[in-house]
Amino acid sequence: RQAAFRTDLSVLLDQVGTGKESLSFMKRRIRRLAQQWATAANHLDAKLEQRWRDQKKILVHVGFLTEESGDVFSPKVLKGGPLGEMVQWADILTALHVLGHNLKISMSVKELQGFLGVPPGRGSCPLTGPLPFDLIYTDYHGLQQMKQHMGLSLKKHKCHIRVIDTFGTEPAYNHEEYATLHGYRTNWGYWNLNVRQYMTMFPHTPDNSFMGFVSEELNETEKRSIQQNKVNSMAVVYGKEASMWKVQGKEGFLQILHRYMEVHGTVYYETQRPPEVPAFVKNHGLLPQNELQQLLRKAKLFIGFGFPYEGPAPLEAIANGCIFLQPKFHPPHSSLNHEFFRGKPTSREVSSQHPYAEQYIGRPHVMTVDYNNSLEFDSAIREIMRTKVEPYLPYEYTCEGMLERVHSYIQHQDFCAPESPFIPANLSRQGSSSGSRITGPLFVPLPNSTALGWASNVTAPPAWPPLSSLRLLVSQEGQSCVEACHSASFICEPAHFRFINNKDALHGLEVQCEVVDSEINHILPAFSVVRRECGLQREPLLFSCAGHSPKYRRLCPCRDFRHGQVALCRDCL
Ligand code: U2F
């Protein structure tokens, strides 16, 4: 069946259910953004020009909100607890509904069993018939519950699963045997999924798919009125829970801030001001989302103290015309050195409180400074007060951007079909080279499959992203493919590894190999210049954009991307 866009959200609102503060929060959000979603649906509908879209049967099982997982989030909704995940789930549900899919929503193990058609009760009772869904969106908690209640059949059906994973999962942590042998085992990882089945809140690592969420959008009139009503000397502190204000050195930088600006907070409290919040701060208490937006519209500065990491609020602040000021982390925080990230299935280095804001948005909307350097901090505040900024929201965080991305994933990502690692017949490098030694980044532009001379008897599965987006590049020693592609203004595309994991690619790059081994190691394909050793990847699950090693230069499959929509290449839609 063909999917038709929906602009009426009443059926979805009924499906979300009642009885928990988390559900009420999500429903308030869905209602508040309904008009924005409807407009976006109409735009995307026109943009896709009657293109056929399959209607999929989709189950959404929100594991972290089930009683069976302990549901620690719901009771904290009105008390300053994390809301980012609920923001994202509300938006995922809305996007799937608006795109016109056939949606079922489960928030308990009982409902999950009912929808899957497995007998209720404890223990692992495998699903015997076919899976009644094309796609299942869940999280790590939900995955565990499915393992318990679907038993062996989970393995059979796992290509249909998508895991909403806030901070991301790197390939080395996902592969059970590899993780166990090489010290990458964590509380969450090793599900042996294709890592693109993990979907993140920000485009943290291209190894995963970027799901995202949306932020409030403003029309031109609203933008103008915001700019007229900005109070240049008003700051709002990012931190809705008192513990987020327990920061070393806070007195110093808050004093500087207070010298120039009136400081507001939205910290949850029960009866009296939390001792962590200085007396000069005008604390509004935790606000409903719409009231927070109003406060942000007046404020000039939204200031982070270092925690929470990578939440939605800075995007909302920037969308409402604030400048976001945040601390730089020296050294970067990661699962190797910081309690919060310990045990998370990634060793990604978090360079500031909000690396997306730092790297994808940047000045003038975002300033990332060393808070221990009072001169730097002082001059940042003064600069912010005199800088005029327009409200800004990257396209990928608009409703249309999210719909476009989720639509593309649903129509094109297929982890069930066997991906044949067909081998290019002649992968020749274009452009000049200095002899046979590789000195800098090299590209092999691959315009289309004919130019590559694919063996004509091979039926190529339609690659997505399409092959036209592939650019082969060689990293420096110690550099990951994330960095190598980034430094050439591209993005690493894990789906393309299978096209460059072969001798022809090495040959095309004129790499001198005395031996070419095929091994199981997440930095392959790669080569050692000194030892003239080349290695190809034997385990496709370990294709990794994130991997790096001081001794090896990596072969990196980069691709182009759309401005403001990094998940999609130019020809991806
Ligand atoms: C992040 O979770 P948080 O919930 O701490 O993220 P925030 O950026 O604070 O914002 C979540 C939402 O809370 C709303 C605000 C945001 O959409 O509009 N809000 C509000 O309604 N009223 C207020 O007074 C203040 C904020 C992240 F999202 C999670 O994934 C992480 O687990 C967590 C820890 O790093 O940080």
Side-chain angles (χ1 to χ4, degrees), residues 370-389:
D370 176 3
Y371 279 26
N372 295 321
N373 180 336
S374 42
L375 280 179
E376 196 181 331
F377 187 84
D378 188 293
S379 85
I381 302 292
R382 283 183 290 126
E383 186 180 334
I384 288 166
M385 291 181 68
R386 51 169 201 267
T387 308
K388 275 216 161 355
V389 291

Side-chain angles (χ1 to χ4, degrees), residues 82-85 166 201 238 240 266 287 289 308-309 312-313 316 340:
L83 297 173
E85 280 77 3
T166 309
M201 189 131 152
Y238 182 14
K240 52 183 148 47
T266 65
L287 294 177
Q289 275 202 311
Y309 297 108
E316 295 166 4
F340 180 83

Side-chain angles (χ1 to χ4, degrees), residues 243-268:
S243 66
M244 295 167 182
W245 291 62
K246 269 194 210 143
V247 193
Q248 236 188 349
K250 180 187 70 182
E251 286 67 29
F253 65 76
L254 259 183
Q255 272 310 331
I256 300 179
L257 176 64
H258 180 48
R259 213 182 291 155
Y260 298 100
M261 298 179 104
E262 186 178 83
V263 186
H264 294 245
T266 65
V267 192
Y268 167 74

Side-chain angles (χ1 to χ4, degrees), residues 25 29 32 73 80-85 87 166-167 201-202 213 238-240 244 266-267 285-290 292-293 296 302 307-314 316 340-341:
F25 175 87
R29 178 174 176 82
R32 191 166 63 84
F73 283 72
L83 297 173
E85 280 77 3
V87 163
T166 309
F167 297 99
M201 189 131 152
F202 288 92
F213 58 92
Y238 182 14
K240 52 183 148 47
M244 295 167 182
T266 65
V267 192
L286 186 76
L287 294 177
Q289 275 202 311
N290 60 327
L292 174 69
Q293 307 285 332
L296 293 171
F302 189 59
F307 193 82
Y309 297 108
E310 308 187 309
E316 295 166 4
F340 180 83
F341 289 107

Side-chain angles (χ1 to χ4, degrees), residues 42-53:
N42 292 332
H43 279 170
L44 185 61
D45 197 6
K47 188 169 176 180
L48 294 178
E49 295 174 333
Q50 311 286 310
R51 184 153 349 145
W52 178 272
R53 297 185 301 116

